[in-house]
Amino acid sequence: MRKVLIIGGGYAGFYAARGLEKRLRPDEAELTVVDPRPYLTYQPFLPEVAAGSVEARHAAVSLRRHLRRTRVVAGTVTEVHHARRAVTVRPVDGPEFELDYDVVVVTAGAVTRTFPIPGVAERAIGMKHVEEAVAIRDRLLTAFDRAAVLPPGPERRALLTTVFVGGGFSGVEGFGEVLSLGAALLGRYPELTADDVSFHLVEARDRILPEVTDRPGRWVVRELERRGGHVHLNAQVVSAVDGHVVLSTGESFDAGLVVWTAGNGANPVVRRHTDLPVDGQGLLVVRADLRVGTDAEPVPDAWAAGDDAAVPDLASDVPGARTVPNAQHAYRQGRLLARNIAAALRGEPTRSYSHRSLGAVATLGLGRGIFQYRRIVVTGPLAWLAHRGYHVLAIPGRERKLRVLAVWLTAAAFGRDIVSLASVEHPREAFTSAGRDG
């Protein structure tokens, strides 16, 4: 049997593994997925997890539950030695070890892009994983509880000031959802007023949501500001030491919560620790059929897709264009990986990847959203429903679809659950403090 090793269990890796299970007989290939997390994170739901509209576990799809014939290895690939068909794996516990393979599929995904800005590493939270979205929600809820017993003043305002850095889809959706949660919480805290709460979105460019055209982007800015948000365009964070956020425009404010969503960076394993060909941006060079290499110099037995692969965009009219790193492409590239790898193992021809965007849809909070397909733009409740409908169909597994629907229906009837579980970050605190008090 051929050993097929998939690095990364995100969209592309998950769908590649699931497709190979369906296309290959058990005696044709041995499948292995290596990922530090035993689940696929359904990232489009993270803004709603942060706002309490989706249960955290429902945004995580278990690899072991859905990949029945694939070995799942909990660990991080630190090096790829394709010349000798092996990778180095660092598990959570125990020493590093090597895994050999016949065919490698690199779908490790991108990492959060950060900059050496004072205070950011110590204060900011990303929003790329479920635990980060949960922490954002719990810290905001805890901040309201703490602020409610403080007198009006700088300390209360700082606790209730939230800053999102980055105006892409992740930042705008997270900002819109958390802004919606903050407005809902005010009705539960009579001690607090709207003047105590402040939400800021900081974007270095002159517009947000680059995936939509200028006019819908401007509408989103107006909509967020109408609801009390502060959108800072052409602004960068230059310092966040001790939560004191300073912008390049000269504005500054104390913030209890800083969320960093300023784009993705190349995966360090792909960028620096592989002998596979990498371009100037740290992305794997791949052909249109997702095989690593070029038409003139293909790399045998190596495939890649998703955020860490420079996949040619055959659907674009721009020469040399690459597919953008989003869930639409990663999902479809993963499925094509499975087809092409199975075809290559059997000596059959492969297909090139080509996909035209289905449009852009974003949630901006309960009942608010925006959808654009070419020149068609829909805003408000219809766009919000389109967002929910699309993603409940797209998340893998019928049980996940039903669980998410059940939470949405429950929230529609009874409202959001506003209980903070921030104490789970320190589960032994109650136990140890009881011993000290005794």
Side-chain angles (χ1 to χ4, degrees), residues 334-369:
R335 295 182 64 182
L336 184 65
L337 273 174
R339 186 203 177 281
N340 282 352
I341 293 170
L345 291 176
R346 294 168 178 166
E348 299 170 357
T350 59
R351 292 181 183 174
S352 295
Y353 178 75
S354 180
H355 169 67
R356 291 195 178 275
S357 174
L358 299 176
V361 61
T363 174
L364 303 173
L366 283 177
R368 302 175 176 92

Side-chain angles (χ1 to χ4, degrees), residues 349-412:
T350 59
R351 292 181 183 174
S352 295
Y353 178 75
S354 180
H355 169 67
R356 291 195 178 275
S357 174
L358 299 176
V361 61
T363 174
L364 303 173
L366 283 177
R368 302 175 176 92
I370 183 168
F371 167 76
Q372 180 174 17
Y373 177 70
R374 297 183 180 177
R375 296 184 179 181
I376 301 173
V377 178
V378 180
T379 60
L382 283 178
W384 176 73
L385 287 172
H387 177 274
R388 287 205 160 183
Y390 173 80
H391 286 300
V392 80
L393 291 175
I395 190 170
R398 280 176 291 183
E399 53 90 17
R400 274 293 177 267
K401 301 179 196 299
L402 292 174
R403 289 179 190 274
V404 171
L405 277 173
V407 171
W408 282 342
L409 292 173
T410 303

Side-chain angles (χ1 to χ4, degrees), residues 15-369:
Y15 283 103
R18 193 160 79 162
L20 287 170
E21 286 189 346
K22 295 176 180 178
R23 290 178 177 275
L24 298 177
R25 301 187 309 273
D27 62 347
E28 281 188 278
E30 176 186 295
L31 307 176
T32 301
V33 169
V34 182
D35 196 287
R37 291 174 172 81
Y39 54 82
L40 175 155
T41 301
Y42 193 74
Q43 291 183 353
F45 278 158
L46 293 187
E48 294 195 66
V49 171
S53 300
V54 170
E55 172 61 36
R57 292 182 186 273
H58 299 169
V61 180
S62 170
L63 299 179
R64 294 182 183 274
R65 177 168 185 157
H66 294 276
L67 301 178
R68 305 295 178 85
R69 287 176 30 220
T70 301
R71 177 191 177 195
V72 178
V73 176
T76 301
V77 171
T78 58
E79 291 186 87
V80 179
H81 317 277
H82 190 64
R84 54 189 177 88
R85 303 296 194 273
V87 298
T88 302
V89 179
R90 179 187 299 147
V92 176
D93 300 300
E96 292 186 348
F97 59 90
E98 284 199 349
L99 284 176
D100 63 321
Y101 61 81
D102 296 305
V103 177
V104 69
V105 184
V106 185
T107 56
V111 297
T112 301
R113 182 179 60 187
T114 58
F115 302 93
I117 300 171
V120 167
E122 294 78 16
R123 302 288 301 194
I125 303 175
M127 202 171 71
K128 198 172 183 63
H129 302 290
V130 173
E131 57 267 35
E132 293 173 322
V134 172
I136 292 167
R137 174 180 179 270
D138 286 344
R139 291 191 185 190
L140 183 63
L141 293 174
T142 300
F144 269 77
D145 287 330
R146 292 171 58 192
V149 298
L150 292 175
E155 189 175 358
R156 176 193 275 189
R157 285 196 299 274
L159 273 173
L160 298 178
T161 297
T162 299
V163 180
F164 274 71
V165 184
F169 253 83
S170 180
V172 171
E173 288 193 312
F175 183 77
E177 285 287 345
V178 171
L179 180 63
S180 179
L181 172 61
L185 287 174
L186 279 176
R188 303 285 184 174
Y189 290 84
E191 307 93 335
L192 304 175
T193 68
D195 292 335
D196 296 316
V197 183
S198 184
F199 292 88
H200 299 264
L201 175 64
V202 182
E203 170 53 45
R205 292 167 294 187
D206 61 355
R207 52 163 299 173
I208 61 175
L209 290 180
E211 295 86 351
V212 303
T213 53
D214 289 346
R215 188 174 179 182
R218 290 193 296 270
W219 177 88
V220 173
V221 171
R222 292 195 302 271
E223 168 67 13
L224 295 174
E225 291 180 334
R226 182 187 65 80
R227 292 160 50 194
H230 305 278
V231 181
H232 306 267
L233 300 178
N234 293 312
Q236 301 177 33
V237 174
V238 297
S239 176
V241 175
D242 296 328
H244 183 67
V245 178
V246 181
L247 304 184
S248 57
T249 58
E251 300 168 274
S252 65
F253 33 81
D254 292 322
L257 178 60
V258 179
V259 183
W260 190 268
T261 61
N264 295 324
N267 193 297
V269 175
V270 173
R271 187 173 67 243
R272 293 193 297 265
H273 302 292
T274 179
D275 54 358
L276 295 169
V278 177
D279 69 8
Q281 295 180 309
L283 302 177
L284 286 168
V285 177
V286 299
R287 308 189 323 181
D289 64 354
L290 307 181
R291 193 191 301 271
V292 174
T294 63
D295 292 336
E297 297 183 42
V299 178
D301 304 320
W303 305 77
D307 293 354
D308 53 16
V311 180
D313 189 354
L314 301 184
S316 173
D317 298 327
V318 179
R322 300 288 185 261
T323 59
V324 296
N326 62 23
Q328 274 192 46
H329 286 299
Y331 159 69
R332 287 168 176 80
Q333 288 169 10
R335 295 182 64 182
L336 184 65
L337 273 174
R339 186 203 177 281
N340 282 352
I341 293 170
L345 291 176
R346 294 168 178 166
E348 299 170 357
T350 59
R351 292 181 183 174
S352 295
Y353 178 75
S354 180
H355 169 67
R356 291 195 178 275
S357 174
L358 299 176
V361 61
T363 174
L364 303 173
L366 283 177
R368 302 175 176 92

